[in-house]
Amino acid sequence: MKRAVRIGFIDAIISSISYGLYPLFAILLYNTGSSVSNSLFYRYLFALLIYLYILKVHKKINLSVTVKEFIVLFFVGITFAVSSIALFAALKYIDSGIACTIVFVYPVIVALIMTLFFHEKLTKITVVSIACAFLGVALLNYAGEMHTGGKFLGFIFSLCGAIMYALYMIFVKTIKSIKYMQTEKVTFYVMLSGTVFYFICLRFGLDFQLLTKPAQWLYVLGLAIIPTIVAIEAVNVAIKLIGATKTSIIGALEPLTAIIVGFLVFGEQLSLFNVLGFFLVITGIFLIKK
C-alpha cells in the first residue's frame, strides 16, 4: 500500500473515531448541568478560535468572502448548527449509539432528496439502500422502545439531525457560490454561523452559563478539539488522499465508536436488535456510496 493511501486510511479512521466520541463529551458535559445551547455555544466558540489560528497562522488561508457568499454561508451554516443541536438534544432521551446511528443515515436521505427534488435517477441499488437504512432505523427504534415517552422525542430529534445534516450536504453540493470554495473556508464560516446561532438561542446571552468547574472546561475543550477540529482536519486529508467514497464508508466507525463508548462508559444496553439495526444502516450507507 502506498504511503499516501495508508495515511489517507489512517486519517479516515481517526476522523470517524473522533466524531464518534462526540456523545462522550456531550453527555459528560450535560451531567455537570450545562444546557444544550450553552454547551454547543462553547463548543463552537472554542473550535472557531482554534480553527482560525490554524487557518491564518499555519495554513495561511485567505478567509475573505463577498457579502453574497457570507449570507449564503451563514444560512447554510444554520442547517449544520440545527443538526448539531438536534443530536445534542437527542442524547438526553436515548442511548448515544442509537442516536448517532440514526443520524448516520444522512447519505441515504441525501440520495432520497436528490431523487425527489433534483431529478437524479432512482436506481435499484438506491432503493435497496434506502430500504436497508430505514429497516435498520426501525429495528433501533424497536430495540430502544422509542415509541414511549421521552424516547420517542429522542428519536425525532435524531431523525431531524439526520435530515438537517443531509440538507447541509445538499446545499454545499448544489449552491454555486460555495460549491467550489475551499473546504476549510466553508468550515470556518459554518463554525462562525453556528456560534452566532447558539448565542441567539441563549437569548443573546441572557441564558448564558459560565464554566465554573474544571471538568466543564475539560469536556468543552474535548468537544471543540476531538470531534470538531481533529475530525474536520483528518477527514479533509482523507478525502484528498483516498477520495470521498472510501472516507465515507470508513465513516461507519463513527456510530460504532458511539455504541462502544455508550456500552463501556454509560452502561447502555447492546441487544441483538441494536446490532442488526446498526449493520442494516451501515449496509444501506455502503450501497448508496457504491
Side-chain angles (χ1 to χ4, degrees):
M1 185 184 293
K2 292 182 179 179
R3 183 172 181 273
V5 175
R6 184 167 61 250
I7 292 173
F9 274 105
I10 291 171
D11 274 286
I13 292 169
I14 290 172
S15 174
S16 298
I17 293 175
S18 297
Y19 276 125
L21 291 175
Y22 178 88
L24 171 65
F25 297 106
I27 294 172
L28 290 173
L29 188 56
Y30 265 148
N31 293 340
T32 66
S34 183
S35 68
V36 174
S37 296
N38 197 70
S39 301
L40 286 169
F41 172 74
Y42 275 116
R43 175 203 178 190
Y44 272 68
L45 178 62
F46 285 19
L48 177 70
L49 296 175
I50 295 169
Y51 204 54
L52 176 62
Y53 173 79
I54 293 171
L55 297 185
K56 297 299 291 185
V57 176
H58 293 281
K59 294 195 173 186
K60 311 291 185 183
I61 291 177
N62 181 7
L63 295 173
S64 61
V65 292
T66 65
V67 173
K68 180 183 177 182
E69 287 172 337
F70 177 80
I71 293 172
V72 171
L73 283 166
F74 183 81
F75 284 102
V76 168
I78 294 300
T79 61
F80 187 87
V82 173
S83 73
S84 293
I85 204 169
L87 174 57
F88 220 107
L91 295 174
K92 293 185 70 173
Y93 301 100
I94 60 176
D95 289 352
S96 58
I98 293 177
C100 287
T101 305
I102 293 172
V103 172
F104 196 68
V105 303
Y106 74 85
V108 177
I109 297 175
V110 168
L112 189 59
I113 292 174
M114 294 300 290
T115 299
L116 293 175
F117 299 101
F118 293 88
H119 309 295
E120 284 196 356
K121 185 179 179 181
L122 184 64
T123 64
K124 291 180 180 178
I125 289 180
T126 303
V127 172
V128 173
S129 68
I130 292 171
C132 284
F134 283 99
L135 180 58
V137 170
L139 282 175
L140 290 171
N141 186 19
Y142 177 77
E145 298 181 345
M146 287 183 282
H147 56 283
T148 60
K151 289 188 176 183
F152 180 71
L153 191 58
F155 171 75
I156 295 298
F157 277 133
S158 298
L159 193 57
C160 286
I163 293 170
M164 294 307 296
Y165 193 73
L167 289 174
Y168 166 75
M169 296 297 289
I170 290 170
F171 291 153
V172 171
K173 179 181 178 181
T174 59
I175 297 176
K176 291 183 179 179
S177 59
I178 60 174
K179 185 176 181 180
Y180 302 107
M181 190 178 289
Q182 281 178 289
T183 303
E184 291 88 348
K185 186 182 287 190
V186 173
T187 301
F188 171 79
Y189 282 101
V190 166
M191 287 182 182
L192 177 61
S193 62
T195 305
V196 174
F197 173 78
Y198 297 124
F199 183 71
I200 294 171
C201 289
L202 289 169
R203 295 195 300 160
F204 297 93
L206 291 177
D207 294 334
F208 186 73
Q209 297 171 279
L210 292 174
L211 300 178
T212 57
K213 304 173 184 176
Q216 289 179 319
W217 285 94
L218 181 64
Y219 302 149
V220 166
L221 286 172
L223 272 174
I225 295 171
I226 297 177
T228 309
I229 302 297
V230 171
I232 288 170
E233 285 296 292
V235 79
N236 285 340
V237 173
I239 289 171
K240 289 178 182 177
L241 295 178
I242 63 174
T245 299
K246 289 184 177 119
T247 300
S248 60
I249 291 172
I250 294 172
L253 289 173
E254 177 188 338
L256 180 60
T257 301
I259 289 172
I260 292 172
V261 168
F263 178 71
L264 295 177
V265 179
F266 301 112
E268 296 174 357
Q269 293 183 348
L270 187 61
S271 67
L272 178 61
F273 286 115
N274 286 128
V275 175
L276 288 175
F278 170 77
F279 280 108
L280 277 170
V281 168
I282 299 307
T283 299
I285 304 303
F286 177 80
L287 289 173
I288 208 71
K289 293 299 180 183
K290 294 292 284 184

